[in-house]
């Protein structure tokens, strides 16, 4: 998804010029920036929890819900990453996720969770194959094809669910309960962290709560999902195949001139994208939480996954951060409601306060002023409202997405040929 | 001849292909495609089905045109879904709160709906123009947020009124209703079907007979060429998005003023996505979109007959999805075939002239 307008795809000769204009300003390696952000997030959250006296912000149950909700977003985002790194915009992630939920329920009901997982991946990959056929072979506009995929995903599963699940569950909109993955907890560690969390000491209890949420009730599917982040990084950035795939997303004509089969790489990327989205759908069905397949179960998570990917600047690590952010805000409103979300507003005010200081230090007066005004507005909101209406807090992740995009989209760099229709032999 | 091949063949091919695919799906699941089809066609003559189709089509048509305006300049307003819901709920609230003489009341409601829809569309438009936020993601997020806004506005804390088990806005007084055209026992066609038709005509005039329409289409054909020709790209995005949002606000007006007179928490959703499908089917042409809307309404309403012949009516949703996907593929294939035919034609001409070497065939065919 091209969040910023780039002309690089149309005018390759401009690329070296822009490169000299923006010298690499990267001072810290990626993992260090990540750790820094984690530290900032934990500090802000524990300070907010202490000042507002709402310990749910960092409790293990909130974290556990957050992980559960972040997982489908993460996997959908990984799907988007694969497709867009190869230059194919995949709005159809939502439809492929729906395929995945149906496949997971069908396979899981008859043959157990592992087959369910496989079926979800295969169904999602089939959706990806259709999208690839339309966009790569037939050169249909990627967004049009994606929208059609979403219609198709909803339609086909509706039909299949009526056909196959209705005799079993007596409801055309849902499947019978599906067997789940077992969940595991790091027994000794979890208990020790529980003790720490119960001490209610500032900082230590918060960190313990978050960690405990991460190591308690983990299913193999959760581990797989998190493992797929480094796997994606290694495949896409550290192998020859990955380099070729990414070059298809940056400049397919140049890639073609080097003898790479661009169509094949795009096909593989989009099929992998569909499979990942399908697995993302499977997490909704096969992880504890919901009984089985349910119509509208994905509820726009495919789109949020896409937004998480954009948030992460088309990189796996950033995507993980985006998914964590959305999962956390979703989990927070779900597990403890409007008052806690309001506490989060307080946390944002704190974060903005730090930001103002940084901007002042860097002598960026305008940015500091804007941050200051935003902080003041949010602070008045915090003091004047007792509780946010529950109808609106449900959409906190969506709102966050908009804010993040509005603030950050100029610093993002999508693949140069993202969403551009490519045809073999048409380069100039 | 060429017009027929280029414009009518693709959708017909797509529908045939989709019907074929659905027949296979039916055969695999043990149904009979022929009896399903005859049941659906026969259903049109039954009871109020024909009138229902026209009524639904008017709603789909407005949604389709709202999407089409953006599509004309490659602006993907996926947010018609959210814009029409916000427009409808705001209009219903305002309409229920004010009392005006007949006629004026309805007119005010319609204007409010258009303004509310445009205001909601202004958010992604401004984000795109000032911050470079992609309109697709922004409108998708705003669709979800719109659901929250509607639920909040209809809740009893805000403007909702509890009627039986259902929460909705206060009922609009009779002065705000728009009478329908009655066909006796066959049902009543919404009076605002005429509004939909008028919007269609206005859309055609604007696109084909106004400077704005020309600039809009030029931006869609080639953004760089348009801006070289003096078209202000940012202004075009803003205006197109606002117009699209205003039309989206009108989407539920036939239903609201002709039948429901209130906006309920259970009022139907999804017209925005239907609008996308219909706009794609009709290639953004007002006549084509009308045919697409009628086809869509036919599939929706006639599907009720399928349960009688033992076929799950959800097969229609597969058919709709397949039609959209195959129609865009069919348009693309036909475009390529025509391009190739044009290149051959120019090639023949050039070789007939002794193959003037300075004029490559591709240069003149490139503009097709």
């Amino acid at each position: 998804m091209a969040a910023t307008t780039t002309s690089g795809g149309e005018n390759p000769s401009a690329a070296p010029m822009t490169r000299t204009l923006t010298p690499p300003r990267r001072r810290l390696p990626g993992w260090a920036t990540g750790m820094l952000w984690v530290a900032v997030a934990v500090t802000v959250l524990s300070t907010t929890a202490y000042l507002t006296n709402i310990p749910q912000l960092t409790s293990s149950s909130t974290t556990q819900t957050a992980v559960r909700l972040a997982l489908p977003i993460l996997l959908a985002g990984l799907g988007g990453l694969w497709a867009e790194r190869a230059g194919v915009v995949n709005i159809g992630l939502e439809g492929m996720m729906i395929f995945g939920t149906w496949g997971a329920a069908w396979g899981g009901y008859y043959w157990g969770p592992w087959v369910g997982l496989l079926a979800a991946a295969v169904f999602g990959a089939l959706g990806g194959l259709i999208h690839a056929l339309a966009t790569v072979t037939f050169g249909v506009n990627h967004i049009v094809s994606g929208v059609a995929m979403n219609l198709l995903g909803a339609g086909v599963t509706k039909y299949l669910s009526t056909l196959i699940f209705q005799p079993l569950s007596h409801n055309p909109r849902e499947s019978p309960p599906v067997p789940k993955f077992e969940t595991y907890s790091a027994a000794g560690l979890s208990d020790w962290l529980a003790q720490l969390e119960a001490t209610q000491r500032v900082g230590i209890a918060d960190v313990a709560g978050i960690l405990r949420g991460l190591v308690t009730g983990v299913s193999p599917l959760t581990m797989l999902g998190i493992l797929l982040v480094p796997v994606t990084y290694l495949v896409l950035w550290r192998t020859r195949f990955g380099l070729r795939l990414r070059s298809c997303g940056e400049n397919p004509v140049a890639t073609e001139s080097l003898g790479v089969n661009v169509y094949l790489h795009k096909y593989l990327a989009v099929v992998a994208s569909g499979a990942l989205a399908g697995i993302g759908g499977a997490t909704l069905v096969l992880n504890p939480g919901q009984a089985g397949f349910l119509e509208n179960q994905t509820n726009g998570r495919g789109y949020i996954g896409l937004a998480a990917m954009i948030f992460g600047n088309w990189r796996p690590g950033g995507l993980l951060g985006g998914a964590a952010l959305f999962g956390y805000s979703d989990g927070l409103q779900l597990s403890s409601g409007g008052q806690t979300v309001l506490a989060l507003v307080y946390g944002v005010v704190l974060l903005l306060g730090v930001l103002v200081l940084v901007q002042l230090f860097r002598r960026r007066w305008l940015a500091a002023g804007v941050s200051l005004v935003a902080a003041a507005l949010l602070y008045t909101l915090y003091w004047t409202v007792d509780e946010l209406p529950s109808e609106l807090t449900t959409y906190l992740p969506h709102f966050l997405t908009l804010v993040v995009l509005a603030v950050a989209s100029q610093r993002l760099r999508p693949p140069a040929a993202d969403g551009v229709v490519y045809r073999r032999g048409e380069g100039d | 001849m060429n017009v027929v091949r280029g414009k009518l063949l693709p959708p017909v091919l797509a529908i045939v292909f989709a019907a074929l695919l659905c027949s296979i799906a039916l055969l695999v699941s043990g149904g009979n495609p022929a009896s399903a089809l005859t049941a659906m066609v026969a259903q049109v003559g039954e009871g109020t089905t024909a009138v229902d189709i026209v009524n639904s089509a008017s709603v789909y048509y407005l949604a389709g045109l709202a999407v089409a305006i953006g599509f004309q300049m490659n602006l993907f307003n996926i947010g018609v879904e959210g814009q029409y819901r916000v427009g409808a709920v705001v209009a219903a609230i305002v309409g229920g709160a004010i009392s005006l003489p007949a006629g004026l009341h309805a007119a005010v409601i319609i204007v409010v709906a258009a303004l509310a829809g445009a205001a909601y569309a202004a958010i992604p438009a401004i984000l795109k123009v000032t911050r470079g936020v992609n309109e697709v993601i922004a409108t998708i997020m705003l669709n979800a947020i719109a659901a929250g806004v509607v639920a909040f506005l209809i809740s009893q804390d805000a403007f909702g009124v509890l009627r039986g088990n259902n929460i909705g806005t206060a009922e609009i007084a009779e002065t705000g209703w728009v009478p329908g055209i009655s066909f006796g026992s066959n049902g009543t066609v919404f009076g605002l079907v005429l509004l939909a038709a008028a919007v269609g005509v206005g859309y055609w005039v604007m696109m084909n007979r106004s400077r704005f329409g020309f600039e809009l289409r030029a931006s869609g054909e080639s953004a760089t060429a348009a801006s070289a020709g003096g078209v202000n790209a940012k202004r075009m995005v803003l205006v197109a998005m606002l117009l699209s949002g205003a039309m989206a606000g009108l989407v539920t007006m036939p239903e609201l003023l002709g039948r429901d007179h209130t906006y309920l928490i259970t009022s139907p959703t999804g017209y925005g996505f239907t609008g996308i499908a219909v706009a794609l089917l009709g290639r953004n042409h007002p006549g084509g979109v009308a045919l697409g809307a009628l086809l869509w309404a036919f599939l929706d309403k006639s599907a009720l007959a399928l349960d009688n012949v033992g076929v799950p009516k959800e097969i229609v949703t597969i058919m709709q999805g397949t039609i959209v996907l195959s129609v865009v593929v069919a348009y693309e294939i036909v475009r390529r075939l025509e391009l190739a035919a044009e290149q051959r034609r120019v090639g023949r001409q050039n070789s007939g002239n002794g193959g003037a070497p300075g004029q490559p065939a591709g240069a003149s065919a490139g503009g097709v």
Side-chain angles (χ1 to χ4, degrees), chain A residues 19 55 70 88 91 110 118 176 376 424:
Chain A
R19 205 161 292 144
V88 178
I91 286 275
Y110 285 108
L118 187 70
R424 183 179 284 155

Side-chain angles (χ1 to χ4, degrees), chain A residues 218-389:
Chain A
V218 182
S219 80
L221 191 49
T222 314
M223 290 185 231
L224 176 73
I226 292 173
L227 201 66
L228 279 170
V229 178
V231 168
T232 296
Y233 171 75
L234 289 176
V235 172
L236 289 186
W237 272 270
R238 286 289 177 268
T239 66
R240 194 180 299 184
F241 166 74
L243 178 66
R244 287 176 178 165
L245 192 148
R246 283 184 299 122
S247 62
C248 293
E250 300 289 347
N251 193 337
V253 176
T255 312
E256 174 195 84
S257 74
L258 295 175
V260 174
N261 187 341
V262 176
Y263 281 9
L264 178 71
H265 281 81
K266 286 197 178 214
Y267 258 91
L268 287 175
V270 180
V271 168
S273 163
L276 284 165
I279 297 175
T283 59
L284 293 170
V285 176
L286 299 174
N287 265 353
Q290 274 164 330
F293 169 82
L294 192 70
E295 208 177 290
N296 285 335
Q297 188 174 30
T298 54
N299 197 14
R301 286 192 175 86
Y303 300 126
I304 300 198
L306 211 57
M309 177 203 68
I310 295 174
F311 175 89
N313 198 8
W314 287 264
R315 307 267 310 178
L319 162 64
L320 187 64
L325 177 69
F326 295 132
Y328 178 76
S329 56
D330 211 8
L332 196 64
Q333 65 88 12
L334 206 69
S335 65
S336 31
Q339 213 192 351
T340 322
V341 175
L342 205 57
L344 201 62
V345 170
Y346 190 85
V348 174
V349 172
L350 284 184
L351 195 62
L352 280 173
V354 176
L355 211 62
V356 168
L357 290 182
V358 172
Q359 306 281 22
L360 284 178
F361 178 71
R362 287 190 184 167
R363 293 167 187 274
R364 289 215 209 117
W365 309 119
L366 183 71
V370 171
S371 313
L372 197 64
V373 170
L377 280 177
L378 286 175
Y379 195 64
T380 33
L381 179 77
Y382 174 72
W383 274 115
T384 48
V385 185
D386 289 334
E387 192 174 326
L388 291 173

Side-chain angles (χ1 to χ4, degrees), chain A residues 75-89:
Chain A
L75 283 159
L78 280 176
L81 185 71
W82 273 77
E84 300 215 359
R85 276 292 168 186
V88 178
V89 171

Side-chain angles (χ1 to χ4, degrees), chain B residues 13 34 116-117 172 196 214 244 248 250 277 280-281 292 297 302 315-316 326 335 366:
Chain B
L13 272 182
I172 298 168
F214 173 76
S244 176
L250 298 179
L280 290 175
L281 268 178
S302 295
I315 189 80
V316 166
S326 38
R335 192 186 69 83

Side-chain angles (χ1 to χ4, degrees), chain A residues 46-91:
Chain A
S46 64
T47 317
T48 313
Y50 174 66
L51 289 177
T52 57
N53 212 5
I54 295 182
Q56 285 98 314
L57 279 179
T58 55
S59 72
S60 55
S61 68
T62 303
T63 316
Q64 227 176 321
T65 323
V67 170
R68 183 166 63 80
L69 293 169
L71 202 58
I73 297 174
L74 176 71
L75 283 159
L78 280 176
L81 185 71
W82 273 77
E84 300 215 359
R85 276 292 168 186
V88 178
V89 171
N90 195 351
I91 286 275

Side-chain angles (χ1 to χ4, degrees), chain B:
Chain B
M1 176 59 201
N2 251 343
V3 174
V4 172
R5 201 175 63 190
K7 292 200 171 140
L8 288 179
L9 194 65
V12 170
L13 272 182
I15 292 167
V16 170
F17 178 70
L20 211 67
L21 213 67
C22 287
S23 304
I24 294 171
L26 277 180
L27 284 175
V28 168
S29 56
N32 182 349
S35 72
L37 187 66
T38 44
M40 280 183 77
V41 174
Q43 176 71 19
V44 177
E46 298 279 327
T48 60
T49 307
V51 168
D52 286 346
I53 288 175
V54 173
N55 283 345
S56 282
S58 72
V59 170
Y60 297 164
Y61 185 52
L62 285 168
L65 288 183
V67 176
I69 290 187
F71 275 6
Q72 287 275 13
M73 63 168 292
N74 285 333
L75 184 71
F76 290 93
N77 183 8
I78 312 286
V80 168
E81 178 73 17
Q83 288 145 19
Y84 96 77
R85 296 194 68 197
V86 169
V89 76
V90 171
I93 289 169
V94 170
I98 58 172
S99 56
L100 283 171
L104 187 63
H105 194 169
V108 167
I109 294 174
I110 291 173
V111 170
V112 166
L115 287 179
Y120 203 63
I123 302 173
I126 291 173
L127 281 178
K128 183 177 174 74
V129 171
T130 61
R131 306 295 307 169
V133 177
N134 184 287
E135 79 276 8
V136 176
I137 284 288
T139 51
I140 285 171
M141 293 301 134
L142 284 164
N143 280 346
I145 295 173
V149 170
V150 168
F152 173 68
L153 287 176
I154 296 184
S155 73
Q156 280 173 296
D157 297 338
F159 299 99
V161 181
L162 191 66
R163 253 181 257 100
N165 268 338
N166 212 339
I167 301 185
T169 59
E171 188 167 43
I172 298 168
E174 211 163 322
T175 48
W177 301 5
V178 174
I181 307 153
S182 178
F183 284 87
S185 65
N186 288 331
T188 306
V189 171
F190 295 146
L192 287 181
V193 166
L194 297 177
L195 173 76
V199 169
V201 172
Y203 173 89
W204 185 86
V205 171
M206 185 187 77
M207 281 302 163
N208 297 302
R209 291 288 181 273
S210 79
R211 181 180 157 178
F212 171 76
F214 173 76
E215 291 185 349
L216 193 76
R217 284 183 292 127
S219 312
E221 295 275 331
S222 166
T224 43
S227 65
V231 177
N232 183 341
K234 286 188 172 181
R235 194 181 139 266
M236 290 309 289
V237 168
L238 201 61
V239 176
M241 201 73 185
L242 289 180
L243 269 178
S244 176
M247 268 195 202
L250 298 179
V251 165
T252 49
M253 286 306 109
E255 287 184 346
L256 183 72
L257 302 183
R259 186 187 67 202
D260 298 341
H261 314 304
T262 167
Y263 196 80
L264 303 168
I265 192 82
T266 53
S267 285
T269 61
Y271 291 156
F273 293 108
T274 306
I276 296 175
V278 167
L280 290 175
L281 268 178
R283 291 227 96 181
N284 310 326
H285 185 277
V289 177
L291 288 178
L294 279 170
L295 173 70
W296 214 261
F298 162 72
L299 288 173
D300 270 355
K301 296 297 168 189
S302 295
L304 299 174
L306 287 179
D307 283 339
N308 299 337
V309 291
V311 172
K313 64 173 180 296
E314 283 75 16
I315 189 80
V316 166
T317 54
I318 298 192
M319 175 124 181
Q320 290 173 332
T322 324
I323 286 180
V324 173
L325 200 58
S326 38
V327 86
V328 286
V329 170
Y331 278 128
E332 184 62 28
I333 291 175
V334 169
R335 192 186 69 83
R336 284 186 187 176
L337 286 178
E338 284 190 340
L339 190 67
E342 181 74 11
Q343 275 169 343
R344 270 198 305 276
R345 193 180 63 75
V346 174
R348 264 200 310 276
Q349 263 175 9
N350 282 356
S351 60
N353 295 342
Q359 286 183 338
S364 50
V368 175

